[in-house]
Amino acid sequence: MPFEGLGPGAAPLALVDCNNFYAACEQAFDPALQGRPVVVLSNNDGCIVARSREARQLGIGMGVPYFQLADRLRQLGVVVRSSNYALYGDMSQRVMACLEAQVPELEVYSVDEAFVRLPALAPRALSTWAAELRVTVRQGLGLPIAVGLAPSKVLAKLANQLAKRDPSRGGVFNFLLEPWREPWLAQCPVEEVWGVGRRWARWCRLRGLATALDLSQADPELLRRKLGVVGLRLQQELRGVSCLPLELLPAPRQETCVSRSFSPPIQELQPLREAVASYLVRAAEKLRRQGQRAGCLTVFVRTSPFAAGFYGNSASLRLPLASQDTAVLLQAALPLVDQLFRPGRLFQKAGVLLQELQPLDQWQGHLFVSLSAEQRQRRERLLALVDGLNRRHGAGTLQWAVAGLRPAWRLRRDHLSRGYTTRLQDLPLVYAR
Ligand SMILES: [Mg+2]
C-alpha cells in the first residue's frame, strides 16, 4: 500500500540519476552528436565506459577494450570520445546545484546521482513535480535525468531503474503511487538490489532468494545470522520502511589516491619520477581542497600484468609532520620512486596514495621538527595562490618543474572534446545571422 510502513518522521525521497551521464555531457555541447551513437573511453583511451542510448541500442558492450571494437565502431558510424573529466566534473556540480535549488535536502551519492528529500506534496502531485524537475534540468543543462520516488532509499534505487527501463513512464517511476509493489520487486534480480554485493548475491541464490521480492520476504532470523543488522536494514528498506537516512555531509575522506596508466610504457627513471611527481601534485591539490593533511604516503608502480616478468611494488613513508604542502610531499615521495625503480622494466602504471588524513584544524607539532606558525602560514598562502591560479587559468598554469614540462608519458586522449564549461578559450561559439 502507498506509504505502508513509513514511520513517523520519515518522509518519502527520490533518487535522481542522469542517464548515460558522460555520453550525455558530450551530446549536450555538440548538437551534431544528438540522436547519434556516442561512446566515451576510459583513461588512456582503454575501454568503453559510457554509451549513449543510441550506442546501447546497437549492442555495444560496456567495459569492452576500445582496440577490439575500433573498426566496428567506425563502420557503424559511432562517435568516439576520450573521457573529459573536467567537463563531466563541472557538469556534475551544475546538476547538483540545480537540484539543490529545487529540494529541501540533497545527498550527492555519485558524480551523476543524488538522493533528495521531496517537497511536502501528495503522492500524485509528486509525480508531476518530478516530471517538471526533468524539464528544468533538461532546459538548464541539456541533460536527461530519471527520477525514482519511494519511501526508502533501496526502493528509490529500484524505482529509478524502472523509470529508465520503461520509456512509457516518461523518466519517472513513483512507488508511492503503486498499490502493489510485489510484481515490481519480483522482476528485480537479487544482484541488482542496491547494497547486495557479489558475495551476498551468491549466498542468496544458494538459498533460493533470487529476486528483491524473495529477499523482502525471507526469514529475518536467517538474514540476521548471516548478514547482521545490515541485512535486516536492507530487508526493511525493501518493505518500504526507511532505515537509511540521507547523508547530507560527505564523510571525510580517509585517503586520497591518484594513479594512471602510461602509453607507451616508461622505461627510464626520470620520466617515472616526473609521472609520480605529477600525480602527487594532483593528490596534494585534492587534499587542500578537502581541507586535510596527510600523515603517510605510499608510492606504487607496476609493469603490465599481461606481459612476462611482471613486477609490481610499493613503498610507504610516515611523515614526521602531517602535511598538505606539495614541496614537503614531493621530497618524501621521490626517493621512494628511486627505491622502486628497476632498470630494464617497462612500467605501465604508477600512483600515489596519501593516507592518515586529518583535518586542518587539528594541528600536532613535532618535538624535533620546528616549523613556526608564521612559516606555516606563509607556505599556506603560497599554495593557496598556486591552486587559485590553476583553478582560474586551467590545470598546469603553474607547474612544479619535477613533474616535467612536456612529458611523453602523458595520457593518450586522441578523441578529447573541449572544456566547454571550464576553459575560456573552449567556450561554445554560436553564430547568429
Ligand atoms: Mg547515471
Side-chain angles (χ1 to χ4, degrees):
M1 295 300 286
F3 287 100
E4 177 208 23
L6 205 61
L13 45 84
L15 178 71
V16 178
D17 184 17
C18 300
N19 305 353
N20 320 316
F21 181 58
Y22 295 169
C25 288
E26 298 288 345
Q27 287 176 315
F29 283 94
D30 190 345
L33 301 189
Q34 307 235 345
R36 289 189 59 190
V38 177
V39 298
V40 177
L41 306 177
S42 61
N43 269 334
N44 227 353
D45 289 351
C47 303
I48 293 175
V49 289
R51 304 157 298 165
S52 70
R53 188 164 42 89
E54 299 81 6
R56 221 180 270 242
Q57 280 164 358
L58 287 173
I60 295 163
M62 190 71 161
V64 184
Y66 172 55
F67 74 91
Q68 282 179 10
L69 277 187
D71 289 338
R72 213 180 125 226
L73 295 178
R74 210 170 304 123
Q75 285 160 12
L76 290 168
V78 176
V79 180
V80 177
R81 288 279 188 259
S82 304
S83 29
N84 184 344
Y85 289 114
L87 176 66
Y88 312 147
D90 186 66
M91 288 302 280
S92 168
Q93 284 181 14
R94 286 167 197 244
V95 171
M96 299 309 165
C98 179
L99 295 179
E100 208 157 27
Q102 308 287 329
V103 300
E105 287 178 328
L106 170 123
E107 172 191 343
V108 177
Y109 180 65
S110 75
V111 65
D112 69 335
E113 276 174 275
F115 286 104
V116 303
R117 181 74 66 214
L118 295 169
L121 294 170
R124 193 162 300 281
L126 283 174
S127 288
T128 315
W129 174 88
E132 283 164 6
L133 184 67
R134 293 188 73 237
V135 175
T136 307
V137 175
R138 168 73 94 171
Q139 279 177 349
L141 299 163
L143 295 175
I145 58 169
V147 187
L149 302 96
S152 70
K153 279 177 147 182
V154 172
L155 285 181
K157 268 274 190 190
L158 177 56
N160 192 284
Q161 286 171 23
L162 292 166
K164 283 190 187 135
R165 197 171 307 159
D166 181 356
S168 74
R169 298 249 165 200
V172 176
F173 188 98
N174 189 349
F175 257 134
L176 307 170
L177 279 180
E178 296 295 324
W180 308 111
R181 291 193 200 114
E182 287 81 355
W184 300 111
L185 294 181
Q187 279 181 28
C188 175
V190 73
E191 291 77 12
E192 285 179 21
V193 176
W194 184 50
V196 173
R198 245 204 318 215
R199 273 188 30 222
W200 280 23
R202 201 166 34 193
W203 180 87
C204 289
R205 286 270 172 185
L206 285 173
R207 277 147 197 87
L209 308 174
T211 67
L213 183 64
D214 296 338
L215 195 55
S216 78
Q217 294 173 341
D219 174 10
E221 185 48 33
L222 181 75
L223 291 183
R224 196 194 56 77
R225 250 183 291 135
K226 173 64 186 175
L227 311 173
V229 68
V230 183
L232 288 179
R233 267 194 216 129
L234 187 63
Q235 185 177 49
Q236 288 297 309
E237 285 258 324
L238 278 172
R239 292 177 177 182
V241 181
S242 173
C243 303
L244 304 168
L246 282 190
E247 284 164 27
L248 304 179
L249 283 178
R253 288 175 162 272
Q254 299 303 305
E255 43 182 55
T256 267
C257 179
V258 174
S259 72
R260 298 277 185 279
S261 309
F262 324 119
S263 174
I266 291 180
Q267 202 171 357
E268 310 289 329
L269 177 60
Q270 186 54 29
L272 189 66
R273 285 174 65 113
E274 287 178 6
V276 170
S278 80
Y279 303 156
L280 187 92
V281 169
R282 291 279 314 273
E285 269 169 22
K286 270 200 205 170
L287 207 60
R288 292 193 290 271
R289 210 166 37 221
Q290 295 160 14
Q292 293 175 310
R293 288 191 185 89
C296 181
L297 73 86
T298 296
V299 174
F300 56 92
V301 299
R302 69 161 170 78
T303 62
S304 166
F306 304 109
F310 174 75
Y311 167 72
N313 204 351
S314 69
S316 302
L317 184 115
R318 175 155 292 116
L319 297 161
L321 266 183
S323 181
Q324 53 154 206
D325 186 329
T326 308
V328 172
L329 297 169
L330 279 170
Q331 215 167 40
L334 290 174
L336 301 182
V337 183
D338 302 344
Q339 192 182 317
L340 294 170
F341 177 76
R342 297 286 180 278
R345 301 284 185 170
L346 289 173
F347 290 95
Q348 196 215 24
K349 186 167 186 166
V352 179
L353 191 64
L354 298 179
Q355 295 143 301
E356 295 183 8
L357 304 190
Q358 41 190 271
L360 278 189
D361 46 24
Q362 273 172 32
W363 173 254
Q364 203 173 7
H366 192 283
L367 202 52
F368 304 108
V369 183
S370 67
L371 184 67
S372 73
E374 199 216 325
Q375 273 173 320
R376 206 175 75 225
Q377 282 160 10
R378 269 213 333 253
R379 291 296 304 179
E380 278 167 11
R381 277 204 301 275
L382 174 68
L383 290 162
L385 188 74
V386 173
D387 290 344
L389 281 169
N390 283 336
R391 238 189 336 263
R392 265 191 78 175
H393 301 287
T397 301
L398 266 187
Q399 182 57 282
W400 299 77
V402 279
L405 294 178
R406 216 176 279 274
W409 46 263
R410 255 213 350 234
L411 279 184
R412 175 179 290 167
R413 300 207 284 185
D414 295 339
H415 312 275
L416 187 62
S417 53
R418 299 150 65 110
Y420 298 106
T421 60
T422 47
R423 280 168 63 99
L424 213 47
Q425 58 268 48
D426 284 358
L427 273 184
L429 291 179
V430 179
Y431 296 96
R433 288 174 197 236

